[in-house]
Amino acid sequence: YKGSPANNSLKFLTSLFPQTDEFPNSDMAPENFTRVTEFILTGVSSCPELQIPLFLVFLVLYLLTVAGNLGIITLTSVDSRLQTPMYFFLQHLALINLGNSTVIAPKMLINFLVKKKTTSFYECATQLGGFLFFIVSEVMMLAVMAYDRYVAICNPLLYMVVVSRRLCLLLVSLTYLYGFSTAIVVSSYVFSVSYCSSNIINHFYCDNVPLLALSCSDTYLPETVVFISAATNVVGSLIIVLVSYFNIVLSILKICSSEGRKKAFSTCASHMFSISIYYGTLSFMYLQPKSSHSLDKDKFASVFYAVVIPMLNPLIYSLRNQEVKNAMKKIIEKMCSSNQQ
């Protein structure tokens, strides 16, 4: 692929993500190359007869994701009984899930219906940055929520003192700040290398691994940055989650009432199920050796944490919760009574 001459937006973007002019793997002179100005996404499947069925499936998944997460955001905002730290964090998790899915799903759905699945250099960089922001923020938010549950179950008398409104705002602010800074640093390194000749991304959105696979310059440094960032975020937050839930389980075992233990274990089991899928797919994507990477398998794993889990989280964290069910029932009753009048 020979890209067109750089336009004004590309010049602005490349000033943020400067590309080297070295082509160590090529015998041709750098001036014989034109930098890539757009990428082509292969999508979930290249099979033509599957495009419409896959479009319908992912459209339903995305609509369910939007409805579920918007429902959680609305309920936790309007119902006074849900104005607690747990639901405050849940509200932001729903916001993150909604953002993460929206960064990826609309473009993916459009590509099911068009023949030329192109995305500009600038659009690709923006999508990668947005994806990294939301995915890192979600990892941190899961750790914050695990800590919140640990304090609530293991130290219930001190819960409102320890997890104060000020601490909640601080933890959420730090989560978003850390996600933003990670997105800026990692995406800058990914787009600091040269992209020339090949511009076909074997994925349904712009991601680190398939992008770096296209580079025609040395990718050792950005690959190292991506691996260290992923390892730090996944392992660090997972340790917090596991330690928190380990102590929660120990506290649950001390509950005298068998009914109380059953209810607590049921809630923790559903949370751990979601966390296991999420961290499992992230680890599979970013923590395996380069020699073991299969971009086709990565696409399958990406569907889980980019599309499926954002849809499941409202069900796992909320609809199994009696307080949320009661709040939803109350809103529905108000809507019905107003319509009857």
Side-chain angles (χ1 to χ4, degrees):
Y1 172 82
K2 303 288 186 180
S4 59
N7 53 30
N8 291 335
S9 62
L10 179 60
K11 289 179 180 178
F12 171 73
L13 183 64
T14 51
S15 68
L16 295 177
F17 306 115
Q19 296 190 40
T20 178
D21 289 325
E22 296 178 2
F23 300 88
N25 298 324
S26 175
D27 295 329
M28 300 180 68
E31 55 269 18
N32 291 335
F33 285 87
T34 304
R35 289 170 180 165
V36 167
T37 59
E38 68 176 12
F39 295 99
I40 298 174
L41 297 163
T42 60
V44 177
S45 172
S46 58
C47 189
E49 56 267 24
L50 290 179
Q51 300 306 301
I52 298 300
L54 285 174
F55 168 79
L56 296 174
V57 170
F58 283 101
L59 176 62
V60 171
L61 291 176
Y62 179 60
L63 292 177
L64 289 174
T65 300
V66 172
N69 287 289
L70 280 180
I72 295 305
I73 294 170
T74 303
L75 285 175
T76 53
S77 299
V78 302
D79 196 293
S80 58
R81 293 170 297 181
L82 303 182
Q83 305 296 316
T84 63
M86 180 180 75
Y87 295 108
F88 177 76
F89 294 134
L90 183 61
Q91 182 184 66
H92 284 277
L93 179 66
L95 184 63
I96 291 169
N97 284 155
L98 182 61
N100 188 28
S101 184
T102 301
V103 164
I104 294 171
K107 182 67 176 180
M108 178 179 64
L109 291 172
I110 292 171
N111 285 341
F112 282 125
L113 304 178
V114 297
K115 290 184 178 180
K116 193 175 181 183
K117 303 174 174 59
T118 58
T119 181
S120 69
F121 189 92
Y122 178 79
E123 186 182 5
C124 188
T126 303
Q127 186 181 52
L128 176 62
F131 166 73
L132 289 172
F133 168 71
F134 286 113
I135 206 76
V136 173
S137 297
E138 183 168 0
V139 168
M140 295 298 107
M141 189 58 67
L142 289 174
V144 169
M145 292 176 69
Y147 170 75
D148 171 72
R149 291 298 81 207
Y150 160 72
V151 177
I153 294 175
C154 300
N155 298 285
L157 298 178
L158 297 175
Y159 177 60
M160 295 307 296
V161 176
V162 175
V163 190
S164 62
R165 180 70 176 176
R166 183 178 179 180
L167 180 64
C168 291
L169 292 172
L170 178 63
L171 290 175
V172 168
S173 299
L174 289 175
T175 294
Y176 288 133
L177 181 61
Y178 181 73
F180 179 76
S181 59
T182 301
I184 292 295
V185 171
V186 175
S187 59
S188 296
Y189 272 98
V190 171
F191 283 94
S192 67
V193 297
S194 296
Y195 292 98
C196 50
S197 299
S198 177
N199 70 330
I200 300 176
I201 302 175
N202 188 13
H203 216 305
F204 56 90
Y205 66 93
C206 294
D207 197 10
N208 298 317
V209 176
L211 268 170
L212 290 175
L214 298 180
S215 176
C216 53
S217 59
D218 184 18
T219 60
Y220 175 77
L221 182 57
E223 285 176 351
T224 303
V225 170
V226 169
F227 181 82
I228 291 175
S229 175
T232 302
N233 296 330
V234 173
V235 176
S237 61
L238 184 58
I239 289 174
I240 296 174
V241 169
L242 292 178
V243 170
S244 297
Y245 276 102
F246 177 77
N247 285 284
I248 287 171
V249 170
L250 292 180
S251 296
I252 291 173
L253 293 175
K254 297 177 183 178
I255 298 176
C256 298
S257 169
S258 59
E259 186 66 26
R261 286 198 302 270
K262 183 179 178 181
K263 182 179 178 180
F265 269 125
S266 175
T267 303
C268 288
S270 61
H271 291 188
M272 289 303 295
F273 174 73
S274 174
I275 289 170
S276 298
I277 296 177
Y278 188 74
Y279 280 99
T281 52
L282 283 181
S283 300
F284 176 82
M285 276 287 294
Y286 298 109
L287 300 184
Q288 60 176 313
K290 183 179 179 180
S291 58
S292 304
H293 257 296
S294 169
L295 294 180
D296 291 327
K297 291 180 180 178
D298 285 354
K299 283 197 291 186
F300 180 76
S302 298
V303 170
F304 278 94
Y305 68 74
V307 180
V308 176
I309 291 179
M311 181 201 66
L312 290 178
N313 274 343
L315 299 173
I316 293 172
Y317 285 97
S318 304
L319 297 184
R320 290 175 60 90
N321 187 300
Q322 193 60 44
E323 290 178 325
V324 174
K325 289 181 181 179
N326 292 337
M328 189 178 297
K329 184 179 179 182
K330 185 178 178 181
I331 290 179
I332 293 173
E333 288 175 351
K334 282 185 178 180
M335 292 174 61
C336 292
S337 61
S338 63
N339 290 333
Q340 289 175 356
Q341 293 175 358

